[in-house]
Amino acid sequence: MNAGRGEGRLTTHVLDTMAGRPGAGITVVLDRLGDDGARTRVAEARTNADGRCDGPLLAGADLTVGRYELTFAVGAYFQARGVTLTDPPFLDEVPIRFAISDAGQHYHVPLLISPYAYSTYRGS
């Protein structure tokens, strides 16, 4: 385990499966989750025209072993695109909880989204 070396990085991207294109302009928040339930905001970004953040959310020594949560503001994204949504929207914010077990690896956590469904996986 490379827990102390900090050579890895955390990245994400969003694909709008309803429109068949990248999810541009989506606010992404990253929190670190403590063993005691406390949460600490460690990054906030907005996806670019390719649905990706302009750089890693965490990299190097900032990427540490632990539990994290990415939150994607998808309700605001679909509203801005003029998509008719329920009130309140079925999916407003999508949280993805995951763990970093080796800070020396690349963790890529993409989100595939539509107004009524989402999926994720560990990408490369």
Side-chain angles (χ1 to χ4, degrees):
M1 179 175 356
N2 296 325
R5 293 202 282 159
E7 300 166 353
R9 66 191 185 283
L10 170 65
T11 58
T12 189
H13 76 272
V14 182
L15 299 173
D16 178 343
T17 59
M18 184 181 104
R21 64 181 186 196
I26 296 175
T27 299
V28 180
V29 171
L30 176 66
D31 291 323
R32 181 176 171 85
L33 306 175
D35 292 337
D36 60 357
R39 86 178 35 235
T40 304
R41 178 76 35 96
V42 293
E44 187 169 337
R46 193 173 213 51
T47 57
N48 60 25
D50 195 34
R52 299 175 183 276
C53 298
D54 288 332
L57 293 168
L58 288 176
D62 292 331
L63 183 69
T64 59
V65 170
R67 297 186 193 294
Y68 293 85
E69 183 175 276
L70 278 168
T71 304
F72 299 83
V74 300
Y77 164 76
F78 285 118
Q79 286 176 331
R81 290 200 54 244
V83 174
T84 301
L85 301 172
T86 59
D87 185 18
F90 180 70
L91 295 175
D92 186 21
E93 293 186 339
V94 172
I96 301 173
R97 286 192 177 189
F98 61 97
I100 302 291
S101 60
D102 182 347
Q105 291 187 16
H106 177 196
Y107 286 80
H108 184 66
V109 184
L111 177 68
L112 286 69
I113 192 73
S114 79
Y116 295 95
Y118 68 91
S119 66
T120 189
Y121 56 94
R122 182 173 175 191
S124 58

